[in-house]
Amino acid sequence: MAKKHSHTEHVIGVDIGGTGIKGGIVNLASGEVIGERFRIDTPQPSTPHAVAKVVKQIVDELMGRDHAPAADAPVGITFPAIISHGIARSAANVDKSWIDADVDKIFGEELGRDVQVMNDADAAGLAEARYGAGAGVKGTVLVITLGTGIGSAFIHNGKLIPNAELGHLEIDGFDAESKASASARERDDLSWPDYAVRLQRYFSHVEFLFSPELFIIGGGISKRSEDYLPLLKLRTPIIPAKLKNNAGIVGGALQAAVHFKVAK
Ligand code: BGC
């Protein structure tokens, strides 16, 4: 049973990615990150022990700031893998030793506080559904994050259906993220029009499978959306995430706040 926490409108979210780990203090009333984010490169190899140490460094830095949450506030953490009942069930872009790791326990013990761990793209989706581009949209919204891998969040009538792994659809014999992630664009040195061809193949397929009302694009590359989104031809509107690359931090914090009932 979770202990009772003080009421707080500020909760720390930490977003763990394949290349960077970033944290911020989230104002839950507005869904904004207060002040600067704090980022450290993902350690290599990205083993549980090494990653947990970096998350602790980030939380310690943020807790030293003026707008820091209550000392006992839980921390929301996002992780780039299937997270089911606090256990990691995959590890596409992180060290394989994460598979079957008890992520709640690993981070909870390292931080000495309650944590709530969820899939990174699910966190981004939750944040967009509550505060961002998906707010108030009825029906199916798919939030697709283009980064080291491809992450996805399946939202229906504002509710998250967790652990959709649409980055791993097999398309033309390939794992989709190996061709259409932002890191695949960099690896293959693609121009925006060439990258858009790959995105077109990917999004047409996902559109065919799910007929969503809206696609929202997240990940660092959402900042450059004008370079590739206008090149896509889809029935479904496709727009960049409103919270840009902060969506994971915000969604992680929101989920922790809801789970531990710390905010209104
Ligand atoms: C993982 C997902 C994750 C996505 C984005 C994929 O490779 O399987 O769980 O959400 O990358 O980080």
Side-chain angles (χ1 to χ4, degrees), residues 80-82 90 92-93 119-121 145 149-151 165 168 177:
I82 297 168
S90 66
N93 295 303
N119 173 265
D120 57 349
T145 64
I150 294 183
E165 283 284 338
H168 296 293
E177 73 171 21

Side-chain angles (χ1 to χ4, degrees), residues 10-210:
H10 294 178
V11 168
I12 289 175
V14 180
D15 192 15
I16 299 172
T19 51
I21 303 181
K22 44 197 194 296
I25 301 171
V26 177
N27 177 343
L28 295 165
S30 64
E32 280 160 353
V33 173
I34 307 166
E36 292 287 299
R37 302 186 314 188
F38 188 60
R39 181 191 185 280
I40 298 180
D41 282 349
T42 306
Q44 301 300 340
S46 52
T47 56
H49 182 70
V51 170
K53 287 249 168 302
V54 170
V55 171
K56 169 111 172 52
Q57 262 177 280
I58 292 174
V59 171
D60 285 349
E61 199 274 350
L62 295 170
M63 284 304 291
R65 295 190 186 178
D66 279 355
H67 298 287
D72 67 342
V75 170
I77 298 174
T78 82
F79 195 74
I82 297 168
I83 303 293
S84 180
H85 305 291
I87 309 288
R89 296 296 185 195
S90 66
N93 295 303
V94 283
D95 196 77
K96 299 296 171 233
S97 56
W98 283 99
I99 296 177
D100 294 335
D102 185 335
V103 286
D104 277 347
K105 184 154 175 264
I106 290 168
F107 292 113
E109 284 181 1
E110 184 70 37
L111 298 182
R113 54 176 68 230
D114 281 330
V115 298
Q116 175 73 9
V117 186
M118 71 189 300
N119 173 265
D120 57 349
D122 279 351
L126 200 63
E128 286 297 322
R130 168 71 76 97
Y131 306 105
V137 180
K138 291 265 175 286
T140 302
V141 175
L142 292 178
V143 181
I144 305 288
T145 64
L146 303 171
T148 312
I150 294 183
S152 59
F154 194 113
I155 312 280
H156 189 71
N157 290 342
K159 280 238 170 291
L160 172 72
I161 289 122
N163 288 317
E165 283 284 338
L166 304 184
H168 296 293
L169 286 170
E170 189 182 310
I171 301 180
D172 303 330
F174 294 98
D175 190 29
E177 73 171 21
S178 72
K179 293 285 169 191
S181 63
S183 61
R185 185 186 82 84
E186 283 168 22
R187 180 198 64 215
D188 295 344
D189 201 14
L190 299 180
S191 66
W192 291 111
D194 287 344
Y195 182 51
V197 172
R198 295 194 184 180
L199 291 177
Q200 179 70 47
R201 180 76 188 99
Y202 179 69
F203 282 102
S204 308
H205 189 60
V206 177
E207 176 178 69
F208 169 74
L209 293 177
F210 298 102

